[in-house]
Amino acid sequence: MTGYAQDMQDLPKARPAAACAAMALAVTACGNPAPLEDEQLATVGTNGSVGQVELRNVYVQRPLDGAYQTGEDARVLLTMVNSAERPDRLAEVTSGYAEKAMMRWDRNCDGTAEQVEAIPLTAGGTVPAPDGKAVTGHLPYHVELVSFDRKVRAGTTVPVTFAFERAGQTTLDVKVQPVHPADQQPRRACT
């Protein structure tokens, strides 16, 4: 067979390949991507909310030797976003696993996070940046859990309660980062 007859005979064989190519093009074509669900977001830590305050990627920094021992301290890193029309503030943090929790904020963006009574949240925003400073890398605030009352292993969770002046309070099971061979010290938050 030659010519048109051969082409017609080959047509059914070509259709599946053409259909697959068209489907692949449709799947990878431009358009509005499907929104990600919370469980699809790749974060190290725990996500939660209370009132109109979102707590995102809340985690205890990994212990360098695989576990925090009784009496040791640890940093809790997190992102807080206030979607309310009025400012709010993180007024208190507690944990049943630690003697106390201290809020720290690098208000002057000098690399030293001082202990503060509360961490402010702007209306429709997050923690205010120091005047004239750009915030990059890690955020200039954190919570320090002081004196664990038990051994806390990497890869487990620690209950931490966050109390806001207006939004209310919530308790999250905060993840303790697992140990990773590429561990490195965090960068300074301000430039």
Side-chain angles (χ1 to χ4, degrees), residues 6-186:
Q6 179 67 40
D7 290 344
M8 292 304 291
Q9 187 178 14
D10 291 341
L11 187 57
K13 295 175 189 170
R15 280 188 183 156
C20 287
M23 195 177 331
L25 181 60
V27 169
T28 59
C30 295
N32 292 332
L36 291 176
E37 299 297 325
D38 277 347
E39 52 271 7
Q40 290 176 306
L41 297 174
T43 60
V44 173
T46 305
N47 296 323
S49 63
V50 57
Q52 291 185 294
V53 173
E54 299 290 326
L55 297 156
R56 292 291 176 245
N57 200 25
V58 184
Y59 65 95
V60 176
Q61 281 186 315
R62 67 180 51 97
L64 296 179
D65 63 354
Y68 288 105
Q69 301 302 320
T70 302
E72 289 188 318
D73 305 343
R75 279 187 181 187
V76 177
L77 302 179
L78 70 156
T79 299
M80 298 181 289
V81 180
N82 178 21
S83 60
E85 294 180 6
R86 294 174 52 182
D88 204 339
R89 65 189 204 137
L90 179 60
E92 184 179 21
V93 181
T94 58
S95 173
Y97 282 27
E99 182 180 306
K100 64 180 179 175
M102 295 187 305
M103 293 174 278
R104 296 192 174 275
W105 181 30
D106 186 2
R107 289 183 281 200
N108 300 317
C109 214
D110 60 4
T112 303
E114 300 86 13
Q115 183 178 350
V116 292
E117 293 295 318
I119 298 176
L121 293 167
T122 60
T126 187
V127 178
D131 293 338
K133 303 286 185 177
V135 176
T136 59
H138 290 284
L139 296 171
Y141 58 91
H142 67 272
V143 172
E144 186 174 341
L145 297 178
V146 178
S147 190
F148 279 121
D149 66 0
R150 66 195 76 194
K151 186 175 189 174
V152 177
R153 295 183 187 280
T156 62
T157 61
V158 173
V160 180
T161 301
F162 300 89
F164 294 87
E165 189 172 77
R166 289 195 168 97
Q169 77 175 30
T170 187
T171 300
L172 300 177
D173 287 327
V174 176
K175 295 177 185 176
V176 180
Q177 278 184 302
V179 176
H180 189 275
D183 286 346
Q184 59 181 337
Q185 293 297 318

